[in-house]
Amino acid sequence: MIDTIIVSGGNIHSDFALDFLKKNEACLIAADKGLEFFLEHQLLPDAVIGDFDSLSEDGKKFLEIQEEKNMDSEIPYGGMTEWKLQKGFGNEKKEIKVIRLRPEKDDSDTQSAMNYAIRNGAKRIIILGATGNRVDHLMANFGLLVLAKNQEVEVILADQYNYMKLVSDGEIIKKSEQFGKYISFFPLEGDVTGLTLEGFKYSLDHYHLTTADSGLTVSNEIVSDKAKVTYRSGTLLMIMSRDYAILADLGVSSHHFDDSERGF
């Protein structure tokens, strides 16, 4: 089960994201410009985190109004400040935690949001809005998958076309529950050794996968009811892709020798 959803500031397909939020009860976190998505659709996140330098004027004004309502003194610019505020849409009200970060910092706003979620007990996080026009941001977000894995937390990046996560040795993927037609694999943090793909259109047997030849593992397809991924060492990124956008029926399920539980 997904326990935390982070909405970041990348490209967001509104129908996809709204449908996904409706189908998953989870802690909702807006990472900086991700707040714009919540405001646009009159949704209430549980926390808002960022330096807010990329917010629209309306978004900044929203925060300023809340600060004026809930703070007796001015917030020191550039400091790490937490405060609580109330806002409501219609008859609904919800307490929101806002964490303002320094503009000059080592972590991205999305990473800070993920770190906050992990500190608060999150074990399975999905990030929406992690893809977009900025490839450098996407590459940084791939690093978040590794950072979370090192803390025994699973992080998934998803948009209307792609579903991205790290796969562990021995994972089983059901064809009936895959996100899209195509599945690609890429090595992160160096080579992946002993890679074996079973139940795929293009199988591999104990292959030593490097970045230079990872084109070999692009746009594979599952041809059996279940597919299995095993490897000896390394960090393996899986990207499930499709060429068309549909609503967020993310019934993707991958398991470590146990296919009795749905992934979402």
Side-chain angles (χ1 to χ4, degrees):
M1 294 288 292
I2 295 295
D3 54 46
T4 303
I5 300 171
I6 296 173
V7 178
S8 189
N11 293 343
I12 298 178
H13 186 282
S14 292
D15 290 342
F16 172 86
L18 290 172
D19 191 61
F20 181 78
L21 293 179
K22 289 177 183 177
K23 293 178 179 179
N24 292 271
E25 293 186 6
C27 175
L28 303 178
I29 301 176
D32 201 79
K33 194 177 178 181
L35 175 62
E36 305 278 3
F37 171 82
F38 287 95
L39 296 180
E40 178 183 354
H41 298 286
Q42 297 191 353
L43 298 174
L44 304 173
D46 296 290
V48 183
I49 299 172
D51 55 28
F52 309 123
D53 61 344
S54 58
L55 280 183
S56 67
E57 290 304 313
D58 287 341
K60 292 178 181 178
K61 185 64 176 177
F62 169 81
L63 288 181
E64 290 173 2
I65 291 172
Q66 303 309 319
E67 293 170 19
E68 291 172 1
K69 287 181 179 179
N70 295 277
M71 296 289 291
D72 295 329
S73 59
E74 184 179 355
I75 299 173
Y77 179 77
M80 167 69 84
T81 307
E82 299 183 10
W83 70 97
K84 294 181 179 180
L85 52 94
Q86 293 281 343
K87 76 181 181 75
F89 291 117
N91 296 322
E92 186 179 9
K93 289 186 177 180
K94 184 177 184 179
E95 187 177 81
I96 303 170
K97 188 168 189 178
V98 181
I99 301 176
R100 183 181 291 273
L101 305 172
R102 296 182 179 90
E104 299 81 17
K105 56 188 184 299
D106 294 329
D107 299 339
S108 67
D109 294 315
T110 303
Q111 180 174 339
S112 295
M114 186 193 77
N115 290 339
Y116 170 83
I118 293 174
R119 288 196 305 269
N120 284 273
K123 289 298 181 183
R124 200 155 191 256
I125 302 168
I126 191 160
I127 302 178
L128 305 177
T131 59
N133 298 333
R134 292 284 299 271
V135 177
D136 55 339
H137 287 178
L138 177 60
M139 294 302 295
N141 289 332
F142 284 149
L144 299 185
L145 306 183
V146 178
L147 179 62
K149 176 188 175 184
N150 293 339
Q151 301 176 75
E152 299 182 345
V153 175
E154 181 178 44
V155 169
I156 299 159
L157 312 178
D159 61 25
Q160 70 271 31
Y161 299 110
N162 305 283
Y163 172 97
M164 298 155 277
K165 59 166 283 186
L166 300 183
V167 290
S168 60
D169 172 39
E171 284 206 27
I172 294 174
I173 308 164
K174 293 181 180 180
K175 180 178 176 62
S176 62
E177 297 177 355
Q178 70 184 89
F179 178 82
K181 177 181 179 181
Y182 304 107
I183 301 183
S184 302
F185 298 96
F186 301 95
L188 295 180
E189 296 190 299
D191 299 353
V192 172
T193 66
L195 177 61
T196 298
L197 302 179
E198 301 175 68
F200 290 89
K201 183 176 181 179
Y202 305 107
S203 61
L204 288 177
D205 184 15
H206 295 88
Y207 188 80
H208 188 115
L209 184 65
T210 69
T211 302
D213 65 1
S214 57
L216 180 68
T217 50
V218 170
S219 298
N220 211 333
E221 300 175 31
I222 296 177
V223 293
S224 301
D225 291 339
K226 299 176 184 177
K228 185 177 178 182
V229 181
T230 58
Y231 56 92
R232 185 178 306 112
S233 66
T235 301
L236 187 64
L237 171 67
M238 176 182 73
I239 302 179
M240 293 186 178
S241 302
R242 57 194 180 198
D243 293 324
Y244 54 92
I246 61 176
L247 294 185
D249 185 16
L250 294 188
V252 180
S253 179
S254 59
H255 311 275
H256 188 216
F257 296 108
D258 179 6
D259 60 353
S260 63
E261 179 186 9
R262 285 182 63 88
F264 285 78

